[in-house]
Amino acid sequence: MSQKPIIYLDNNATTQLDKRVLDIMLPYFTNLYANASSNHLAGLTVHEAVENAAWQTANLIGAKAEEIIFTSSATESINLAIKGLANQNKKHIVTVATEHKAVLDTCLFMETLGFEITYLPVESDGILDLNLLNESITDQTLMVMVMMVNNEIGVIQDINAISEIVHAKNALFMCDATQAVGRIPVDVEKLGIDLLTLSAHKFYGPKGIGALYISAKAKIKLIPQIHGGGQQRKLRSGTLNVPGIIGLGKACEIAQAEMENDQKRLTKLRDDLEEGLLQIEGSFVNGNPLNRIYNTTNICFPGVNSETLILALQHISVSNGASCSSVTSEPSHVLKALGLSDENALSSIRFSLGKFTTEKEILEVVERVLSLVKQVR
Ligand code: PLP
């Protein structure tokens, strides 16, 4: 194993915990360990801190604290949002082929409950055709789910236009914003989102804590997926993960203050990286290069097996697909949906930068990838 320090360009898989977030969490493991549901002074103190974290989380997305339900992850939030609607009369759901597996696999499960799911294709740049979306929604459509930022290619969908189409047809709009919240401005009111999912570990918060936003205006009645002590208005029972919740709140506060600067700095670094890597003959960027989040580039190096390259890169952490499926050598379903051949999909690498990425690291990555591709080819 190489002894060099890790260069971490896999921030869409997860991010490093911000030291300021850790510091604020630590007392909730030790002195402030009371159960947030207890009525004694210690419990009430913790309860107040949890309420503050709910407010911080809501504030980041333009919501109210009462519209936030804490979960263990975006995956759990997605499961609650979809399965929680299983008893509705309408039985048709529309989603997109490039969604995260947490959405797609939950939809497969809904099929076993008798739901009909429409999986819309995307254009070759990863953008959803809005006419197609409009045509796919019927009077039986309960909900439409479109992610804000794609985790593999970084493409950003036109959420405003999508929610207008969905609401004009009286369906609910759910948005998996797991790769967006904490990185780009998200306002659920302005964007017309009824249900939204987020996860702290994607923006320098701890793992094991996520949230589901449920619009009060939309009057959605979800069936709880976890029954028990009746915490969180009976929607998600279980003793609250207080340190996680406090960490999520702080990560939201920091994101709100620093997002703009991160965006400026990382856009330049990502563009430098891309310019350097595109010197490789035949290489190209997957997905729309303009409607794309600033920290991500997914590049195909035809004729180069991405797994071989990732192994050879050693101390440089990059990925070839969603983090949860990168141990498999199946071509990515997202890249296939863009129309890439299996070969090109298996020759593509995702580089995702984060707030701790430096210019020096980018220079080293470019140099290393250029020389390795030469060797491998
Ligand atoms: N949705 C998207 C777009 C993601 O990128 C991820 C994480 O990879 C998830 C959902 C699942 O998030 P979590 O790890 O919090 O379950």
Side-chain angles (χ1 to χ4, degrees), residues 39-59:
N39 282 335
H40 41 66
L41 182 62
L44 291 173
T45 308
V46 171
H47 177 78
E48 221 167 85
V50 166
E51 299 259 280
N52 184 50
W55 179 84
Q56 288 169 314
T57 307
N59 207 30

Side-chain angles (χ1 to χ4, degrees), residues 126-144:
I127 304 281
L128 178 62
D129 176 340
L130 299 186
N131 289 324
L132 207 59
L133 171 71
N134 193 30
E135 286 162 16
S136 71
I137 307 172
T138 71
D139 57 1
Q140 278 311 299
T141 307
L142 169 64
M143 175 159 73
V144 173

Side-chain angles (χ1 to χ4, degrees), residues 12-13 72-76 78 100 102 147 149-151 176 178-179 197-199 201-202 209 323-324:
N12 287 8
S72 65
S73 58
T75 300
E76 189 195 324
I78 289 165
H100 191 273
M147 73 202 314
V149 172
N150 185 275
N151 48 304
D176 174 4
T178 309
Q179 293 288 345
T197 61
L198 62 93
S199 186
H201 76 97
K202 301 293 185 186
I209 184 76
S323 41
C324 49

